[in-house]
Amino acid sequence: MNSSYQYIGWSVSGEWSVSGEGRRRRYVALLVMVTVTGTAAVTLALAVPNAIRFFDHAPAGFWAMALAALVVDIPLFGAFSREDPRVRSTLSICYTFAIFVLYGAAPAIVVQAIAGVVSVVGQRYNLRGVVYIPARLVLATAAAELVVGAVYPRPVTGQGIGLSREDLLAFLLLAVVWLVVSFGLLVAAFVPTQTADLRQRFSEVWADVVLAAAAVLVVAPLLVAIRGWWSLLVVVPVMLWNQLTREQLRREQEWAREPETGLLNRRGLVAGVRSITAHDSAAPQALRPFGIILVAFESALAINRTLGRELYEKVVGVASSRLIDVYGGDRAARLSGEAIAILVPDLTEPDALAATEAALAVLDPPVEVDEISFALDAAAGVALSPQHGRDLSDLLMKAELTAAEARRTGQRVGLYVSRATELAQRRIVLLRELHTVLRDPVRHHEIAVLYQPQIDLGTGRLAAVEALLRWTHPQWGPIPADILIESIEPSEIMHELTAHVLGRVAEQMHRWNEQGEPLRVSVNVSVQDLHRPDFVAELGRLVDEHGIAPGQLAIEITERMLISDIERVSLVARALAERGLGLSLDDFGTGYASLQQLRQLPLREVKLDRSYISGVVDNPTDRAIVASVHQLARALGVDVVAEGVEDEGIAQALAELPGVIGQGWYFGRPMSAEELCEWCQLLPRPVSDRRRFRRWVERRR
C-alpha cells in the first residue's frame, strides 16, 4: 500500500486526523513540539536554583497555593474525554499565576511544571500532551516575566495587600502576555497537522481561552487578596465547579455513545459535525471542510445470523476498538450493525481516497475472538463537505450509496459522485410513478405482459412460454426490466407488481384454456415475494379462480435467490409442490448452487444461463458444462431449458442432447398473446431436420 495512505498525523489536542501530505506535516509538527519542549526544559533548569533558594523561606501562603495547584485538576470521579474543548485547560493556572504575581517567576515556573504534569496525567492525556501542555504553560510564564519584568519591579505586590493602579496595570500586562503566548503555542501546534486556516484553529480553542482568562483575571486576583492558608478555601468551589463540568460532560458522552463499543451514536456524530460547522455563518465563504467515511462490513451480519448475537457484538467491539485507537473516541460512530461512519475534519478531495483506504487498512487484519479469526470484508465510501453538502443525513446517504456501489463493482473504496445520488433519486421517482400506475386502471395498458416461446428441440413443438414484464412510460419510454426490478424490489410495490402480473397471466391462461390451447407458463418472482407468508395461498386461490390446472403454472426464481435464502426457498418450494405448482430455477450456473441444495427442492426445470449456451459451439468447456448439467438434470427428473439460443449453430448443438428445451431470439422474441397465436402457426418439424428448420426460420423472418 502507498505510504501516503498510511500516514496519520497527530495534533496536540489528542485528535487524530488522516492527511495525505503525510511526511512533511509530521516533520513540521515534530519540530514545533521539540522546539517548545526544549526551550521549556532549559527555562525550567534555569528557574530551579532560584526556586530552591526561595523554598527555604517561603511563606505559608505560597505552600497553600502550591498544594492547591497540585490537586485542583485531579478528577474526583468519572471519566471524561480529553477531546472535548471544555476540559483541555488546567485550572491550576489560577494558583500558579497568583504565585507568579506574589513571589516571582522562578517558584511559579517550577510549581507550574509539576502541577501541569499532574493535571494532564490525571486527565488521561497521551504522552505528547503530558510533555507539550506543561511546556507551553512554563514558556508563557517565562515570556510574561521577560516582557513585563523588564518594566515593572517584581514581585508585583504582597499577599493580602490591595492592588494599586500601577500594580493593577502590571497584573493586566502579565495576564495578557501569558494568555497570548500560552494559546499562541497551542494554535501553533495545530497548524502543521491540519489544513484549516489560523482563524478556524483559534476558534477551536476559544473555549479554553475564555476559561483561562477567567482563571487568571478573576480567580487569581482573589487569591492575591487572601492571606496564608485561607487561600485553600478557594479550592473547594473551584474543584466543585471543575467536577460538575466533567460530570456533565461524562453524562453527555454516555447519551451520545454506544455502551457496547464505545463508538459514538448518531447523536454523538451530529455533535461532532456541529462543532466543525459552528462558524459557518460567521465565515460563509470559508467553510471548514470535512469528510464522512462510511465503512460497511457485511460479514458481520453473517456472523450475527449464523453464530449468534454475542459473538457478533464481540467482533464489532474489536473492530470498534481499532478505529477508536486510530481516530479517537469522538470521530467514529456506529450507525447500524454493519456500518461505521468516520468523521474526518479538514479532509479534501485530493486526500479523500487515501484517507478511505487508510480507514479500511485499520480493519484489514482479521478480528480474533475466542481464538477464532474473522475477516470483516469491508468496503467504504466517502462524501465530502462542503462540495457534496453540509447536512449530515445527506452526506451519510451519499457515502452509503458510494460504499454500496464500490462493493457492487468489486472495489474497496469509492468517492461520491453526483451520479450515485441522481440514480437513487431516479429510482425513487420510478418507484412512485409505478405505484401510481398500478393504482390507476386507466394506465394499466402501460404495463405489458409478453410471452417468449420455449421450444422442445427434439420435437420442434412449443413446450411452454415465459411471461415477461414490460413497462413503457408515456414520457420516459421503455423502462429496462433490470432497472425496474432493482428499484422496486426493496419496497412493498414489488408485491403489488407481482400480484398484477400474476393476475394478468392467469386471465390469459384462462382464455387459452377456453380456446382449447392450454399452455404451460413460467412467471418470475422476487425473493421479497417468497417472504410473504400468504404468497402460496394467494397463488393457489388465483389458480382455482381461473380454472387453471396447477401443473400449467411454474414460479421462476434465480439461483442467486436460492443460495442466499435456501431455507425460505425450500419451504415455499415444498408448499408449491403440495399444490401441484411448479418451480423453475433461472440463471442456473451463475450462483454456484450445490448439488445438495438442488436435492432439497422439488424442481420442475432448471434454466441454463445464456453465458454457457453462447459458447456451446466453440468452447469445449462450456459444451462439457452443458452436457454435465443435462445429465444431472435428467438423473433428478428435471427438465433443462437453454436460455439465449441466438443462432442455428447453437440450436443444432443443443438438439443433440435429448429432451432439451430452447429459448431465445432464434425462435422468437417476447411477444403479445395475439402475436404468439400467429407465431404458433409457423412451428416446424423437429430441429434435427436442418433444411426444414432453416426454411421455417427464413419464413418467420
Side-chain angles (χ1 to χ4, degrees):
M1 182 181 295
N2 189 303
S3 60
S4 66
Y5 288 2
Q6 299 174 344
Y7 170 61
I8 298 175
W10 173 82
S11 64
V12 72
S13 69
E15 173 183 296
W16 294 84
S17 62
V18 180
S19 173
E21 294 187 8
R23 196 177 301 274
R24 181 181 66 82
R25 291 184 177 275
R26 180 175 58 184
Y27 286 156
V28 173
L30 182 62
L31 178 62
V32 170
M33 182 178 177
V34 169
T35 302
V36 171
T37 54
T39 306
V42 172
T43 302
L44 181 61
L46 294 174
V48 166
N50 292 331
I52 292 176
R53 287 193 292 271
F54 170 79
F55 293 158
D56 290 339
H57 60 274
F62 165 79
W63 293 112
M65 291 184 186
L67 176 62
L70 294 177
V71 301
V72 71
D73 283 317
I74 299 176
L76 300 178
F77 61 89
F80 57 91
S81 168
R82 64 175 179 269
E83 303 287 346
D84 194 282
R86 287 170 292 182
V87 294
R88 288 179 187 158
S89 293
T90 53
L91 290 177
S92 60
I93 59 176
C94 59
Y95 292 96
T96 57
F97 193 81
I99 292 173
F100 179 35
V101 171
L102 291 171
Y103 307 113
I109 287 174
V110 173
V111 173
Q112 180 66 84
I114 298 172
V117 171
V118 171
S119 174
V120 294
V121 169
Q123 296 182 62
R124 302 182 185 179
Y125 276 76
N126 57 25
L127 179 60
R128 294 180 179 88
V130 170
V131 174
Y132 190 85
I133 292 177
R136 73 177 178 85
L137 299 179
V138 166
L139 289 185
T141 304
E145 175 70 9
L146 288 175
V147 173
V148 181
V151 180
Y152 291 90
R154 305 286 291 108
V156 172
T157 185
Q159 191 170 25
I161 300 175
L163 294 173
S164 67
R165 181 177 300 176
E166 289 188 357
D167 292 341
L168 182 60
L169 180 60
F171 187 97
L172 291 176
L173 286 175
L174 287 170
V176 169
V177 174
W178 190 95
L179 289 169
V180 169
V181 174
S182 173
F183 289 97
L185 292 175
L186 183 59
V187 172
F190 271 116
V191 172
T193 59
Q194 305 290 337
T195 59
D197 60 29
L198 187 61
R199 180 178 56 183
Q200 290 173 329
R201 284 305 165 205
F202 187 76
S203 70
E204 289 192 344
V205 299
W206 179 247
D208 297 344
V209 174
V210 173
L211 183 63
V216 170
L217 297 176
V218 178
V219 182
L222 177 64
L223 294 173
V224 169
I226 300 177
R227 292 180 178 275
W229 290 93
W230 290 103
S231 63
L232 284 177
L233 294 177
V234 182
V235 172
V236 176
V238 171
M239 289 189 72
L240 181 61
W241 177 84
N242 197 16
Q243 189 59 47
L244 288 175
T245 300
R246 290 168 176 167
E247 179 62 14
Q248 179 184 4
L249 174 61
R250 184 184 67 82
R251 290 173 180 251
E252 289 178 0
Q253 288 182 336
E254 285 181 353
W255 295 334
R257 198 174 299 279
E258 269 201 340
E260 299 87 356
T261 62
L263 293 173
L264 298 174
N265 55 26
R266 192 180 185 91
R267 176 177 179 175
L269 189 62
V270 168
V273 172
R274 189 179 296 128
S275 68
I276 292 175
T277 60
H279 301 279
D280 280 3
S281 58
Q285 303 304 318
L287 301 179
R288 183 181 177 188
F290 67 92
I292 294 288
I293 298 174
L294 196 290
V295 181
F297 33 93
E298 292 187 350
S299 59
L301 290 180
I303 294 171
N304 184 30
R305 186 169 56 250
T306 59
L307 301 177
R309 183 78 182 180
E310 182 178 356
L311 186 61
Y312 158 80
E313 289 293 350
K314 288 181 180 179
V315 171
V316 174
V318 174
S320 302
S321 297
R322 291 183 186 176
L323 293 173
I324 291 173
D325 289 343
V326 173
Y327 293 97
D330 294 335
R331 287 293 176 255
R334 186 180 180 191
L335 304 179
S336 63
E338 75 285 3
I340 291 178
I342 302 170
L343 175 62
V344 185
D346 308 308
L347 186 63
T348 55
E349 188 164 336
D351 300 330
L353 288 178
T356 310
E357 283 279 9
L360 287 189
V362 176
L363 300 172
D364 275 345
V367 170
E368 187 165 327
V369 174
D370 297 338
E371 300 182 353
I372 304 173
S373 294
F374 299 93
L376 294 177
D377 186 25
V382 57
L384 302 175
S385 180
Q387 56 264 51
H388 298 152
R390 209 65 173 167
D391 178 69
L392 175 60
S393 297
D394 188 40
L395 290 171
L396 285 171
M397 181 268 290
K398 291 173 178 177
E400 186 174 13
L401 285 173
T402 306
E405 180 69 11
R407 183 176 294 281
R408 188 184 68 81
T409 56
Q411 305 296 316
R412 280 169 54 88
V413 302
L415 173 63
Y416 169 77
V417 292
S418 59
R419 183 178 59 82
T421 296
E422 290 171 1
L423 179 59
Q425 293 299 328
R426 284 201 299 270
R427 287 173 175 171
I428 293 173
V429 172
L430 195 70
L431 193 63
R432 291 172 177 164
E433 186 70 4
L434 180 61
H435 181 68
T436 301
V437 172
L438 290 171
R439 296 296 176 90
D440 184 2
V442 176
R443 298 186 61 183
H444 281 181
H445 68 277
E446 296 177 19
I447 300 175
V449 178
L450 304 182
Y451 300 91
Q452 187 170 30
Q454 298 173 342
I455 302 298
D456 187 327
L457 299 184
T459 65
R461 301 302 182 190
L462 181 63
V465 294
E466 179 182 1
L468 298 169
L469 168 70
R470 296 292 184 266
W471 179 26
T472 303
H473 192 275
Q475 281 81 42
W476 306 334
I479 308 298
D482 55 343
I483 293 178
L484 174 62
I485 299 303
E486 191 176 70
S487 301
I488 70 173
E489 192 165 24
S491 74
E492 284 295 311
I493 296 178
M494 185 72 247
H495 303 321
E496 295 182 34
L497 182 61
T498 300
H500 179 84
V501 172
L502 284 171
R504 297 268 291 272
V505 169
E507 291 173 359
Q508 183 58 53
M509 294 177 70
H510 176 70
R511 285 193 289 270
W512 283 332
N513 287 346
E514 287 188 331
Q515 295 167 6
E517 299 175 350
L519 283 177
R520 194 176 74 182
V521 183
S522 60
V523 182
N524 287 278
V525 300
S526 163
V527 65
Q528 301 299 330
D529 296 316
L530 300 186
H531 286 169
R532 295 182 62 187
D534 57 349
F535 174 71
V536 176
E538 289 185 358
L539 197 59
R541 285 195 296 270
L542 188 67
V543 169
D544 294 339
E545 289 173 3
H546 290 84
I548 301 170
Q552 286 183 257
L553 182 62
I555 297 302
E556 198 167 298
I557 62 172
T558 64
E559 185 181 6
R560 289 187 178 89
M561 187 191 305
L562 167 64
I563 63 175
S564 66
D565 197 358
I566 183 64
E567 292 85 1
R568 167 66 65 176
V569 173
S570 297
L571 288 173
V572 174
R574 286 193 288 270
L576 290 172
E578 290 174 0
R579 288 183 172 268
L581 298 165
L583 183 67
S584 174
L585 187 61
D586 196 11
D587 298 335
F588 185 70
T590 61
Y592 309 105
S594 68
L595 180 61
Q596 179 63 28
Q597 289 172 326
L598 294 181
R599 291 179 65 246
Q600 295 180 35
L601 300 176
L603 291 173
R604 174 183 294 175
E605 67 182 22
V606 293
K607 302 184 72 173
L608 268 172
D609 188 69
R610 64 182 64 246
S611 60
Y612 297 106
I613 301 304
S614 61
V616 75
V617 175
D618 302 320
N619 190 319
T621 301
D622 287 347
R623 188 161 56 248
I625 291 174
V626 171
S628 298
V629 172
H630 174 263
Q631 185 177 6
L632 171 62
R634 288 178 66 86
L636 295 174
V638 176
D639 293 337
V640 176
V641 178
E643 295 184 294
V645 180
E646 307 297 340
D647 56 47
E648 181 181 355
I650 295 176
Q652 294 293 343
L654 293 172
E656 297 175 3
L657 299 174
V660 173
I661 298 171
Q663 178 180 346
W665 285 8
Y666 183 62
F667 303 117
R669 296 171 180 259
M671 59 192 79
S672 66
E674 294 76 16
E675 292 171 330
L676 180 64
C677 292
E678 296 176 5
W679 177 91
C680 287
Q681 305 302 318
L682 304 177
L683 282 176
R685 295 185 58 172
V687 174
S688 56
D689 187 336
R690 290 176 179 266
R691 288 176 298 177
R692 282 181 174 272
F693 193 81
R694 190 179 296 112
R695 286 199 300 271
W696 170 65
V697 171
E698 294 299 330
R699 182 182 175 189
R700 181 171 54 86
R701 290 176 178 173

